[in-house]
Amino acid sequence: MCTHLEVKELRVNVGTVEELTPGTLKRVALDGFPPLVVGNAEGRLFALLDECSHGESSLAEGHLEGCVIVCALHAGSFDVLTGNATKRPAKRPQPRYDIEIENDMVFVLLDVDSSETSSPRSELEESPAKFA
Ligand code: FES
């Protein structure tokens, strides 16, 4: 008998709490998913899609102002806790992901439907995220 399990969400280790000190922005490359930016805004850990919703810029190359991430290319900004755009030219919200912390390890919960491809789920489960 064959059992088919449908996986809707993946939990990916993106580092330790100790690594993500306040003010940190870190780009995380994942096989089969768009890159993420994870960071610490005034003690609050967050994860967003790294590709700015306004253009083709990495938000990890920007900077934090409180709980707002400012894009390096045109200075548009987003609330890191909601993903909402807070300053033009950014208008569309930035996709965000839930975070879980377990034993000092930081995990990002990814919706499998947001993957770029039909993706190598087993690779994600077996190898840690790569920090770029
Ligand atoms: S590319 Fe980010 S604000 Fe324009």
Side-chain angles (χ1 to χ4, degrees):
M1 182 171 169
C2 183
T3 303
H4 178 75
L5 298 176
E6 186 175 339
V7 177
K8 294 185 175 183
E9 193 171 72
L10 292 178
R11 191 171 178 249
V12 179
N13 180 350
V14 295
T16 65
V17 172
E18 193 172 81
E19 293 171 327
L20 294 172
T21 56
T24 298
L25 290 176
K26 181 183 286 185
R27 181 178 169 95
V28 179
L30 301 168
D31 291 331
F33 283 85
L36 308 178
V37 54
V38 297
N40 182 332
E42 299 182 333
R44 296 178 177 202
L45 301 182
F46 65 89
L48 299 170
L49 181 69
D50 191 41
E51 298 163 350
C52 179
S53 68
H54 176 249
E56 295 185 12
S57 182
S58 164
L59 290 177
E61 294 175 8
H63 67 277
L64 287 167
E65 293 178 1
C67 286
V68 167
I69 188 168
V70 181
C71 179
L73 192 55
H74 304 117
S77 65
F78 304 90
D79 182 316
V80 298
L81 303 178
T82 65
N84 291 335
T86 57
K87 184 180 171 198
R88 290 182 178 252
K91 291 187 266 183
R92 288 180 288 140
Q94 191 68 17
R96 57 167 295 281
Y97 303 92
D98 289 335
I99 294 266
E100 286 183 355
I101 298 170
E102 184 178 317
N103 299 325
D104 198 44
M105 303 299 287
V106 180
F107 296 89
V108 175
L109 304 179
L110 297 172
D111 182 349
V112 172
D113 292 336
S114 69
S115 65
E116 289 176 327
T117 64
S118 57
S119 153
R121 191 180 80 237
S122 59
E123 287 179 25
L124 278 174
E125 292 171 342
E126 293 171 11
S127 62
K130 299 171 205 137
F131 301 114

